[in-house]
Amino acid sequence: MPLALLALAVGAFAIGTTEFVSMGLLPQVAQTFDVSIPLAGWIITAYAVGVVVGAPTLTALTHSRPRRQVLLGLMALFTASHAATALAPTFSALVGARFLTGLAHGAFFGASAVVARALAPAGKEGRAISLVFAGLTVANVVGVPLGTWVGQQAGWRLTYALVGLIGLVTVAALLALVPEVRVGTGSLRGELGAFRRGQVWLTLVVTVVGFGGMFTVFSYVSPLLTEVSGLAESSVSWVLVLFGLGATAGNLLGGRLADWSVQNTLVMGMSGLVAVYLALFAVASSPVAAAAGVFAFAFVAFSMSSAIQTRAMVAAGGGASMAAAAMQAAFNTGNAAGAFLGGAVIDAGLGYASTALVAAGLSVLGLGVLAVATRADATGRAPLDPAVAAVPAQRRRSGVRSTEDAGA
């Protein structure tokens, strides 16, 4: 595999670290600016909103630009916004800096996937993309817990400054290792055509509510573990390692599950999350059981990542690039909504463990939306794959067509 993939993976590592490390630093941020922990959660919401705005917007604005130029510009924005984050003099400035950081997220992953496919040897395109996204997975195992520990020991500002330094390393690696890759001749209008398909929107809604539950809990996992489970603050970083291991294992299994059946993977995953969240609420006072619960919901949630991405790309037809960017926006809309809802129930005096009940409710809602989408596909009102819309209804109802015909 070309060394250029290493540069892309380093960028993915930096983005993955900054996205998730904030959850473990909320108590320190709240103390610095003398705000409540739920209010400090706005830095998570601001980042997620930045992704929602930036993913489709920057993808559209850079549609015709060479990918190497796009990647360099996005990582320069990422690095500069981390300097602003580390130096933020007020809480409002910090929230604004996190919004700017989020702008680069979705477009960077979309451009990275294009470059990885273009540089990969024939027949190894999927493997190349997986190597790039391995940076995101490794971030949850190494970057997030290490960044949380650094923030707890030396201050949250140093954590964000170090992530910005990784951004600088990525810029240097992109300049040294990544050749220029020009985009294809597909029109922006064709890409935007994905948003005229009902199944694309239904898949995005499933992503928002289904994965939003994970962030309802994870956004406040640090105070949950320390104030409800009784863990020492120094132990939180080790539980975040468990989250990363769960996400990594779930993602590896999820690729095989998606090849087997996209539909069944999503149904089992959403159902599994309901059970895990309810169990976490019941055992939150036990440190060992709570830590196991964090591993479990990471494992189950990330086991659906390949399946939900496949569903979106199939539904988008010729607009797969824009759909991929939109999925990043949807994922982070769930991030923002989850952080907001979690903060709301905590502010209402229901306690940190109550976030697990809200998460279970969101997973049930995700199952409901998935059922509506499946029914619309089976009846032909909104076919999942426009290219095979004429396939007999009986086969559509099997839920196998989407994965087999897409070559998932």
Side-chain angles (χ1 to χ4, degrees):
M1 287 290 180
L3 281 176
L5 300 181
L6 176 61
L8 302 177
V10 172
F13 176 86
I15 291 175
T17 299
T18 201
E19 180 179 17
F20 290 104
V21 77
S22 296
M23 285 73 166
L25 298 177
L26 288 187
Q28 288 74 35
V29 171
Q31 183 177 16
T32 296
F33 296 107
D34 194 23
V35 299
S36 68
I37 289 178
L39 182 58
W42 277 98
I43 67 171
I44 299 171
T45 301
Y47 181 91
V49 172
V51 178
V52 172
V53 173
T57 302
L58 295 183
T59 298
L61 290 176
T62 60
H63 176 71
S64 61
R65 303 298 301 173
R67 297 297 89 184
R68 182 170 179 262
Q69 292 181 17
V70 173
L71 289 168
L72 285 168
L74 292 171
M75 194 48 60
L77 171 62
F78 178 89
T79 303
S81 62
H82 271 82
T85 297
L87 298 173
T90 65
F91 182 68
S92 296
L94 176 62
V95 171
R98 294 307 290 164
F99 171 81
L100 292 176
T101 305
L103 290 175
H105 178 125
F108 182 88
F109 278 118
S112 293
V114 171
V115 171
R117 285 183 60 85
L119 297 180
K124 295 185 178 180
E125 292 87 353
R127 182 181 175 186
I129 293 175
S130 70
L131 288 175
V132 173
F133 280 85
L136 180 63
T137 303
V138 172
N140 282 293
V141 180
V142 179
V144 174
L146 182 59
T148 300
W149 181 83
V150 169
Q152 291 171 344
Q153 301 302 315
W156 59 269
R157 294 182 188 275
L158 179 59
T159 294
Y160 288 119
L162 291 174
V163 176
L165 182 60
I166 299 173
L168 280 177
V169 172
T170 304
V171 170
L174 291 171
L175 287 170
L177 301 176
V178 178
E180 197 60 271
V181 176
R182 296 196 172 273
V183 297
T185 57
S187 68
L188 177 59
R189 182 177 181 180
E191 288 286 344
L192 293 174
F195 297 123
R196 293 195 295 269
R197 300 190 172 99
Q199 285 288 348
V200 170
W201 287 105
L202 288 168
T203 305
L204 293 176
V205 174
V206 171
T207 303
V208 170
V209 296
F211 287 90
M214 180 178 72
F215 290 105
T216 302
V217 179
F218 193 55
S219 296
Y220 303 96
V221 69
S222 183
L224 171 66
L225 293 170
T226 56
E227 297 191 23
V228 179
S229 305
L231 281 172
E233 189 177 80
S234 59
S235 300
V236 171
S237 58
W238 293 107
V239 178
L240 294 181
V241 171
L242 286 178
F243 177 88
L245 292 173
T248 301
N251 189 53
L252 292 174
L253 175 63
R256 295 180 178 273
L257 290 176
D259 288 340
W260 165 61
S261 171
V262 166
Q263 175 71 6
N264 291 338
T265 298
L266 293 175
V267 171
M268 292 190 305
M270 293 290 178
S271 302
L273 281 179
V274 174
V276 169
Y277 291 138
L278 291 177
L280 178 60
F281 174 77
V283 302
S285 60
S286 167
V288 174
V294 172
F295 174 90
F297 75 69
F299 177 85
V300 177
F302 278 85
S303 72
M304 295 186 288
S305 59
S306 294
I308 197 69
Q309 288 279 357
T310 298
R311 195 180 204 284
M313 294 178 69
V314 171
S321 295
M322 188 59 70
M327 283 296 292
Q328 291 293 323
F331 187 76
N332 281 273
T333 298
N335 185 336
F340 174 80
L341 291 174
V345 296
I346 294 168
D347 275 340
L350 299 179
Y352 290 106
S354 65
T355 58
L357 293 180
V358 177
L362 288 173
S363 295
V364 171
L365 182 58
L367 274 172
V369 178
L370 181 61
V372 171
T374 303
R375 179 64 177 170
D377 178 40
T379 60
R381 292 197 308 271
L384 177 57
D385 189 345
V388 291
V391 171
Q394 181 60 37
R395 191 179 177 200
R396 284 201 299 270
R397 281 191 291 270
S398 70
V400 177
R401 170 181 57 82
S402 357
T403 55
E404 289 180 346
D405 292 358

